[in-house]
Amino acid sequence: MKIPPCLRRLLALCLLACLPLTAQAQEDDGQSLLASLDAASYAQMGGAIEAIVDSGDPRSRDWLEALLGGKLQRHKESGRFVVVLENRGRNWPVVDALTGEDLGEMSRRELDRIGINNSLRGQLQSVLAVLDLRVDDVGARREAARDLLGQVDEAMVAPLQDLLEAEGDAEVARLLAQGLAIHRLEQGQVAAVDVLAGSLNGEVRSALSSAARSDDPALAEAAEAALAGIDQKLRLNRGLETLYFGLSLGSVLVLAAIGLAITFGVMGVINMAHGELMMLGAYTTWAMQQLLPGQPGLALLLAIPAGFLVAALAGIAIERGVIQFLKGRPLETLLATFGVSLILQQLVRTVISPLNRTVVTPEWMSGSLMINEGLSLTLNRLYVLGFAMLVFAGLMLVMRRTRLGLEVRAVTQNRAMARAMGIRATRVDIMTFALGSGVAGLAGVALSQLTNVGPNLGQNYIIDSFMVVVFGGVGNLWGTLVAGLSLGVINQVLEPWAGAVLAKILVLVFIILFIQKRPRGLFPQKGRAAEG
Amino acid sequence: MIPSSTYRSPRWLAASLLSLGVAAPAMAQEDPIKVGILHSLSGTMAISETVLKDTVEMLIEQQNANGGLLGRQLEAVVVDPASDWPLFAEKARELLAQEEVDVIFGNWTSVSRKSVLPVVEELNGLLFYPVQYEGEESSENVFYTGAAPNQQAIPAVNYLMNEVGVERWVLAGTDYVYPRTTNKILEAYLKGHGVGDADIMINYTPFGHSDWQNIVSEIKAFGSEGKKTAVVSTINGDANVPFYRELGNQGIDAADIPVVAFSVGEQELTGIDTAPLVGHLAAWNYFMSVDTDTNYDFIDAWIEYTGDDMAVTNDPMEAHYIGFNMWAEAVRKAGTTEVDEVKDAIIGVSVPNLTGGYAAMMPNHHITKPVLIGEIQDNGQFSIVWETPSTVAGDAWSDYLEGSKDLISDWRAPLSCGNYNVVKGSCGGGEAQ
């Protein structure tokens, strides 16, 4: 494909020399090419796209990309074709599609879109992918080759064969060979099955499944055998996938519950406003992204300390304002904090909005990490999983290695004795509550990447949080971790055959039965104070 | 209750005192026409319903600027049922019994409509319901300006079957009455068109469901068995955001497994990064991207009213636009806001819709609408890829369900029946099932 440098210079010279003439000629060509695109019905547009590719016009790639993005439009009055640069809001900046001339802003009223549908989108993507196969970047070539799986048609076979022979990267070559083999399989060639056997790709499996239903017994049999091998591997991957789903759901439960494990377990305070503290953390993330427009990733990182602080301060306010007056009266505390939770929700509704806020997921957190072609882990969940483990480890350190942790444990075990030893129990209460609330804020920051940020966010998690804490054994951080992760896995194992609604109910029933047997949860606290 | 005579006396007294001081023109000023707005401004449905409240308020403001109705001004009475279904019934009672509104525009979910229904019928009110729903209902006091299943679900499935060649179907919905009934109709329809049991997967999730990992992965596996697969989504409310996010993250491309949604419009997409979702479908009777002058005027008015340059319009807003204009036209025709007279006058009324045609009120209290299929674009708008050649009249009773296909609804005298059985020739009481 490479043109020797000397030849290239010659070509450039020639192009420069003939420029005025060709530009004129091209413009007419381009206008008619685009006009045929515009006039055609969806069924005929495929032909018009091929005509553009065949024309070899240097601008054709830009046109096709604009068409794919819905940005190739026609000015209604003048009939001029334009490319819209930015299509949000009412007035859009546009450039001329033929000359690239900047035409300023146009209202969407004046423009007529050249629409496409999914099948044309597929065609365009494969045309662009064939073009991408010629670029130097190996990553882009792999991407393009993967896009082509299942999209190869008769017209593409010859150029793809050429590219396959010239290809240096083994992975790209393998994908191209598979792409061509899928096409051959569709033509009924039994030999193609050998190339495809063992691949975990969804398109390959899909093609083999169709072939297995074909009328040709030899083809059907070969495809069947290849499928059986693939299914074997897929089952293993499917198991791993379920485990990952379970752990990621479990990590969300752990994050939501671990702050509660501190306030409920250590202090004995039933804080119904725990969910709303998470909500505050999530809103902090949103606020940070508003403050730092265009930098969602940085805003998210900064939201981690900010979310902790905001929720911790709110926690202190709740402790000082409500809970300290109700010490030792769990039912009254429950009612009062439930009231606080309603107030916080309504506050957010009134001050910010009842509508959900959009929290942007940074580029590096979207998409998935491909382990193999049958197993890929979604990145946002992976980050949340890691974050939950970090928070857990950090909290363990605080409880085990700091003076605060020591005092908290002392006050928990025997309040009167701790006070006699000179520990200021009230101050410890405040700090413990602030710590638990701050961790709830951290959970909110993580949740903003998974679910809606709205006034109801906390409500959806409060039941789950109590469930995890009670199941794990009140006041035990390890218990919370094990309980959260195992409930997540149980839920995800049940879900495929019970459905999401029933799985939730079954998990609740399971916990009720478990608590009947072991009222103190998985890891009960030991010692005279706890059992008294 | 306080007897109405004593209850009214202070106002009567005030009026006579006023008349002593102020001259005759003040006396001629009649009470305003009260328009009740019953939409959730908080809770899980606020994401969808808040804009509908604003829409009706804008329409009222425009009507008042044009001289009101019958020479009287209109006044909005807004209540917030907070996405709490029983509260909808209470608030509807408050609107009709205490505020004595002349008409109500409201509700989104079917469960809230079902809760309001007995109240509106008991107190003889008028309710304009603007959202696509599952059908199987007809009330003398309710006007359904959203789509019935034959104006949305059935044409969408036909499009996928005939134009896209879909053979396997995932029916995914939120667990309540609208998705369940719609999926029942769709299942019957698909089986009637030769789709086997193994090629239909049905899945329900609770309201506000946020963990979609397993379901999306199952859909992916279901779709990799060699037959073209599509997802018909009746997932409602804010559960859609994590659902679409998961679709994007797990790399489900619209070219492989398209998702057609009946409850996701421009408003819902504003909370989502739509770049990975390009090509997924929605079936509605209106899209903001419709290229007509009436639509551009409506959008301009809406943007001016909200003061937000990025504000979007959607299908239920158009339904309120049509419903409001139909009601105003019927009041003008009847010369009064009396419920019974407006009810009779409105059948046959025809007003412009925003897609360049007309919507007419049918005797079964449903309206005529075009059906559009749109594909999601990267800017959160839909590009229209298919539409019915003419408008479709809404069916109260589905032609595909046992026990429902023999029923018709006609609220004109002498029939005046919501569920007339054409086989038995009688008007049954209550609902069909």
Side-chain angles (χ1 to χ4, degrees):
Chain A
M1 271 296 113
K2 287 225 168 85
I3 308 167
C6 55
L7 201 67
R8 216 182 317 169
R9 210 168 302 134
L10 201 75
L11 234 132
L13 265 173
C14 164
L15 269 177
L16 266 177
C18 338
L19 199 63
L21 200 93
T22 40
Q24 191 57 47
Q26 272 175 1
E27 196 167 317
D28 296 337
D29 267 6
Q31 182 71 25
S32 68
L33 282 170
L34 293 183
S36 67
L37 203 60
D38 188 33
S41 71
Y42 286 135
Q44 299 156 343
M45 266 175 89
I49 292 172
E50 264 168 39
I52 290 182
V53 177
D54 291 342
S55 76
D57 192 300
R59 296 162 297 181
S60 54
R61 196 197 158 90
D62 295 340
W63 291 337
L64 295 179
E65 248 169 22
L67 180 63
L68 183 63
K71 289 177 179 161
L72 188 62
Q73 314 214 345
R74 187 173 50 84
H75 189 242
K76 277 184 198 165
E77 261 172 42
S78 64
R80 208 165 174 183
F81 288 98
V82 297
V83 174
V84 174
L85 298 178
E86 172 61 49
N87 59 359
R88 279 161 210 273
R90 278 197 291 178
N91 293 311
W92 300 336
V94 295
V95 296
D96 193 298
L98 297 170
T99 60
E101 181 194 345
D102 187 358
L103 298 179
E105 288 202 339
M106 284 186 183
S107 145
R108 59 183 168 204
R109 241 184 230 248
E110 302 168 58
L111 294 170
D112 223 355
R113 248 175 69 101
I114 305 181
I116 56 168
N117 63 9
N118 271 329
S119 69
L120 287 171
R121 194 171 285 118
Q123 187 194 350
L124 277 171
Q125 272 162 351
S126 49
V127 165
L128 289 172
V130 173
L131 290 175
D132 276 345
L133 279 177
R134 296 165 208 269
V135 298
D136 287 335
D137 178 18
V138 175
R141 286 214 305 277
R142 286 185 186 168
E143 191 71 30
R146 196 164 287 128
D147 282 350
L148 277 175
L149 287 178
Q151 301 284 344
V152 180
D153 59 28
E154 198 53 52
M156 285 154 66
V157 170
L160 282 184
Q161 284 288 4
D162 295 343
L163 282 169
L164 177 58
E165 275 155 33
E167 183 55 56
D169 183 65
E171 172 74 7
V172 179
R174 192 178 64 82
L175 287 167
L176 279 181
Q178 282 183 358
L180 286 166
I182 291 179
H183 176 68
R184 289 211 307 278
L185 190 69
E186 279 161 5
Q187 307 294 314
Q189 297 182 23
V190 184
V193 173
D194 294 338
V195 184
L196 297 174
S199 166
L200 294 176
N201 189 286
E203 292 288 345
V204 171
R205 195 185 131 75
S206 175
L208 283 172
S209 302
S210 312
R213 285 194 301 272
S214 98
D215 299 328
D216 177 3
L219 180 66
E221 199 181 320
E224 200 79 62
L227 264 183
I230 290 175
D231 281 346
Q232 186 72 29
K233 278 196 203 171
L234 274 180
R235 257 193 296 279
L236 178 70
N237 278 319
R238 181 88 185 149
L240 289 175
E241 193 183 56
T242 307
L243 183 68
Y244 170 69
F245 288 167
L247 289 178
S248 79
L249 174 62
S251 70
V252 173
L253 294 177
V254 169
L255 264 180
I258 199 156
L260 198 69
I262 295 175
T263 51
F264 180 35
V266 175
M267 292 177 71
V269 170
I270 301 178
N271 179 18
M272 293 296 283
H274 183 75
E276 277 58 45
L277 293 169
M278 290 197 263
M279 174 192 78
L280 288 182
Y283 270 99
T284 312
T285 318
W286 168 75
M288 288 309 273
Q289 291 196 342
Q290 298 302 304
L291 288 176
L292 294 169
Q295 299 195 346
L298 179 67
L300 186 62
L301 291 178
L302 289 177
I304 294 174
F308 183 89
L309 265 182
V310 169
L313 289 177
I316 291 176
I318 294 173
E319 209 276 342
R320 286 290 89 187
V322 181
I323 293 171
Q324 66 157 329
F325 304 113
L326 300 167
K327 197 147 281 171
R329 289 189 286 173
L331 276 183
E332 282 90 333
T333 321
L334 184 145
L335 277 181
T337 48
F338 183 63
V340 171
S341 83
L342 292 181
I343 293 171
L344 281 174
Q345 273 179 44
Q346 198 54 45
L347 202 67
V348 167
R349 261 183 214 129
T350 317
V351 176
I352 300 177
S353 155
L355 299 184
N356 292 332
R357 300 285 97 180
T358 314
V359 173
V360 183
T361 306
E363 195 80 29
W364 43 268
M365 268 185 87
S366 40
S368 49
L369 176 73
M370 205 185 232
I371 304 291
N372 60 42
E373 280 186 295
L375 177 66
S376 45
L377 312 180
T378 42
L379 277 174
N380 59 346
R381 297 264 174 185
L382 200 61
Y383 277 98
V384 170
L385 183 65
F387 183 66
M389 294 309 121
L390 276 180
V391 171
F392 178 77
L395 218 49
M396 273 321 252
L397 275 180
V398 170
M399 294 306 263
R400 290 283 156 87
R401 295 265 182 271
T402 64
R403 176 151 192 97
L404 175 68
L406 185 70
E407 291 184 351
V408 167
R409 278 179 290 147
V411 173
T412 312
Q413 278 169 15
N414 195 329
R415 194 180 183 89
M417 180 64 81
R419 291 189 65 165
M421 299 299 287
I423 293 176
R424 289 155 67 192
T426 317
R427 198 180 131 262
V428 172
D429 280 347
I430 299 174
M431 295 302 286
T432 317
F433 204 80
L435 183 66
S437 306
V439 173
L442 291 181
V445 175
L447 282 176
S448 73
Q449 292 302 315
L450 299 179
T451 181
N452 294 291
V453 176
N456 293 33
L457 183 141
Q459 267 184 340
N460 300 335
Y461 287 92
I462 189 77
I463 305 288
D464 287 345
S465 308
F466 274 107
M467 212 164 71
V468 170
V469 170
V470 170
F471 179 52
V474 172
N476 189 313
L477 289 187
W478 281 111
T480 308
L481 181 74
V482 175
L485 292 182
S486 47
L487 286 184
V489 174
I490 293 173
N491 185 294
Q492 296 293 310
V493 170
L494 288 178
E495 212 180 86
W497 60 270
V501 184
L502 199 57
K504 243 186 164 137
I505 296 171
L506 286 176
V507 167
L508 263 174
V509 170
F510 164 74
I511 290 182
I512 293 169
L513 292 178
F514 183 86
I515 296 297
Q516 295 289 319
K517 265 263 171 262
R518 297 187 60 170
R520 285 170 183 279
L522 277 176
F523 298 96
Q525 273 192 328
K526 297 198 178 74
R528 228 178 340 169
E531 275 151 29
Chain B
M1 278 299 271
I2 310 161
S4 63
S5 57
T6 49
Y7 179 66
R8 286 188 187 284
S9 66
R11 198 200 275 178
W12 183 83
L13 198 71
S16 43
L17 280 175
L18 258 176
S19 69
L20 293 174
V22 190
M27 286 291 287
Q29 197 73 47
E30 283 184 84
D31 285 344
I33 299 174
K34 284 185 167 185
V35 179
I37 305 179
L38 183 66
H39 280 300
S40 300
L41 310 179
S42 49
T44 181
M45 293 312 296
I47 176 181
S48 306
E49 290 193 72
T50 311
V51 287
L52 293 185
K53 179 214 77 170
D54 293 341
T55 307
V56 181
E57 285 186 328
M58 176 181 85
L59 292 168
I60 289 172
E61 199 175 88
Q62 287 175 346
Q63 192 73 37
N64 282 338
N66 291 335
L69 204 51
L70 305 178
R72 292 160 68 186
Q73 289 283 295
L74 304 181
E75 181 192 308
V77 182
V78 182
V79 290
D80 175 18
S83 311
D84 178 10
W85 322 138
L87 198 56
F88 266 91
E90 269 174 54
K91 289 291 174 186
R93 189 172 289 281
E94 182 186 318
L95 282 176
L96 289 170
Q98 283 170 31
E99 300 283 350
E100 298 181 343
V101 297
D102 296 288
V103 60
I104 300 175
F105 291 86
N107 297 72
W108 182 293
T109 59
S110 287
V111 49
S112 71
R113 189 192 65 253
K114 295 272 184 204
S115 115
V116 162
L117 209 56
V119 177
V120 180
E121 284 177 352
E122 178 199 329
L123 300 174
N124 196 25
L126 285 178
L127 172 67
F128 283 82
Y129 175 63
V131 183
Q132 102 296 358
Y133 82 122
E134 70 281 3
E136 304 304 294
E137 186 183 297
S138 183
S139 164
E140 194 176 358
N141 299 80
V142 181
F143 295 89
Y144 304 84
T145 52
N150 74 316
Q151 291 174 308
Q152 188 187 32
I154 298 285
V157 165
N158 273 335
Y159 169 80
L160 289 172
M161 221 167 354
N162 304 329
E163 314 274 325
V164 186
V166 172
E167 296 171 297
R168 292 200 109 191
W169 304 83
V170 180
L171 308 180
T174 303
D175 201 9
Y176 76 108
V177 53
Y178 163 69
R180 283 203 178 259
T181 313
T182 305
N183 285 346
K184 211 156 71 183
I185 295 172
L186 286 181
E187 205 186 341
Y189 183 78
L190 288 173
K191 286 188 176 156
H193 282 73
V195 179
D197 263 330
D199 287 335
I200 301 177
M201 166 178 155
I202 300 182
N203 189 296
Y204 292 105
T205 38
F207 263 104
H209 189 65
S210 64
D211 188 72
W212 290 94
Q213 305 180 86
N214 228 321
I215 294 163
V216 168
S217 144
E218 265 176 64
I219 290 172
K220 213 167 151 184
F222 189 75
S224 74
E225 287 176 21
K227 289 185 184 174
K228 182 75 184 170
T229 305
V231 180
V232 178
S233 157
T234 39
I235 298 162
N236 228 4
D238 49 13
N240 274 301
V241 176
F243 173 61
Y244 277 109
R245 220 178 237 183
E246 191 69 32
L247 280 180
N249 281 342
Q250 291 202 24
I252 292 194
D253 197 31
D256 306 329
I257 305 178
V259 177
V260 58
F262 299 153
S263 206
V264 174
E266 291 84 349
Q267 183 64 38
E268 286 74 21
L269 288 183
T270 53
I272 314 177
D273 175 17
T274 47
L277 306 179
V278 170
H280 286 305
L281 305 152
W284 289 103
N285 311 102
Y286 165 83
F287 286 112
M288 186 178 176
S289 60
V290 162
D291 192 16
T292 63
D293 275 332
T294 33
N295 184 35
Y296 287 121
D297 292 341
F298 182 74
I299 294 170
D300 286 347
W302 175 243
I303 284 174
E304 195 182 327
Y305 182 78
T306 55
D308 175 6
D309 213 34
M310 293 293 180
V312 293
T313 59
N314 63 14
D315 178 278
M317 285 172 67
E318 191 220 18
H320 262 341
Y321 169 86
I322 293 171
F324 185 86
N325 287 335
M326 278 183 165
W327 170 74
E329 184 61 40
V331 168
R332 238 175 265 129
K333 215 166 115 187
T336 167
T337 57
E338 274 308 310
V339 168
D340 286 323
E341 289 175 47
V342 173
K343 229 158 47 184
D344 290 337
I346 201 168
I347 290 175
V349 162
S350 161
V351 298
N353 60 24
L354 294 178
T355 45
Y358 279 84
M361 179 60 77
M362 308 305 285
N364 64 0
H365 286 189
H366 290 64
I367 68 171
T368 58
K369 297 181 141 233
V371 186
L372 315 176
I373 311 261
E375 289 181 357
I376 298 177
Q377 304 294 299
D378 62 350
N379 60 350
Q381 292 287 320
F382 290 88
S383 105
I384 296 159
V385 291
W386 183 85
E387 61 181 289
T388 46
S390 60
T391 54
V392 180
D395 270 347
W397 304 101
S398 172
D399 296 340
Y400 306 102
L401 281 187
E402 214 49 53
S404 164
K405 57 185 170 203
D406 298 333
L407 300 178
I408 60 159
S409 142
D410 188 335
W411 289 107
R412 289 170 303 186
L415 200 55
S416 276
C417 176
N419 52 359
Y420 183 81
N421 191 314
V422 285
V423 180
K424 290 184 194 145
S426 66
C427 184
E431 297 205 2
Q433 291 94 328

